[in-house]
């Protein structure tokens, strides 16, 4: 199982970015996939999650209404569209998954087994 996040970069406050998570070794239609982020000097936090079969979406309160998670089953990809970015969104973003832990478990803080390398998002003028 492998995941690779990409799409990070430098963006001005109020701007947008779309992160991509390329999945291999499993299908996004079978396993839930989550996005996390870790800002400098802070603990890692959960951002969003998309469920396997139904594609239900979940968001942390800090990003609700600004971020949108989606997936392309044919390409085995998961995306995170980020709008209205603020400096507080600056972080390394990671995608992660697990064979057993689903989105409700992610929200409760269960650890996931598989993580990709992160992609840095910097929001600054």
């Amino acid at each position: 199982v492998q995941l690779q996040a990409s799409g990070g970069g430098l963006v001005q406050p109020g701007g947008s970015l779309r992160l991509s998570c390329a999945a291999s070794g499993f299908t996004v239609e079978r396993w839930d996939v989550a996005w996390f982020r870790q800002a400098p000097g802070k603990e890692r936090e959960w951002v969003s999650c998309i469920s396997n079969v139904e594609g239900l979406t979940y968001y942390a309160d800090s990003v609700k209404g600004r971020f949108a998670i989606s997936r392309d089953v044919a390409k085995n990809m998961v995306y995170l569209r980020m709008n209205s970015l603020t400096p507080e969104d600056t972080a390394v973003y990671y995608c992660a998954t697990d064979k057993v832990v689903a989105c409700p478990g992610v929200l409760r803080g269960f650890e996931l087994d598989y993580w990709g390398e992160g992609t840095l998002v910097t929001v600054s003028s």
Side-chain angles (χ1 to χ4, degrees), residues 33-64:
V33 177
W35 285 96
F36 291 78
R37 67 185 181 185
Q38 187 164 19
K42 294 187 177 180
E43 292 188 354
R44 187 181 67 202
E45 65 172 340
W46 164 75
V47 174
S48 184
C49 192
I50 187 164
S51 71
N52 51 6
V53 176
E54 296 179 334
L56 298 177
T57 58
Y58 303 79
Y59 299 96
D61 288 343
S62 58
V63 306
K64 200 171 293 183

Side-chain angles (χ1 to χ4, degrees), residues 56-122:
L56 298 177
T57 58
Y58 303 79
Y59 299 96
D61 288 343
S62 58
V63 306
K64 200 171 293 183
R66 300 188 298 123
F67 289 14
I69 191 170
S70 63
R71 65 183 181 179
D72 186 326
V73 173
K75 295 182 178 179
N76 215 31
M77 298 280 293
V78 175
Y79 305 99
L80 186 68
R81 177 69 179 179
M82 307 184 296
N83 297 323
S84 303
L85 287 163
T86 73
E88 289 68 40
D89 295 314
T90 295
V92 177
Y93 285 72
Y94 302 87
C95 52
T97 192
D98 192 279
K99 185 177 181 180
V100 176
V101 178
C103 288
V106 174
L107 273 62
R108 289 196 289 271
F110 290 121
E111 285 293 330
L112 305 183
D113 280 344
Y114 304 101
W115 294 78
E117 293 186 6
T119 185
L120 175 63
V121 172
T122 303

Side-chain angles (χ1 to χ4, degrees), residues 3-14:
L3 303 110
Q4 180 60 57
S6 62
L10 174 64
V11 62
Q12 292 188 340

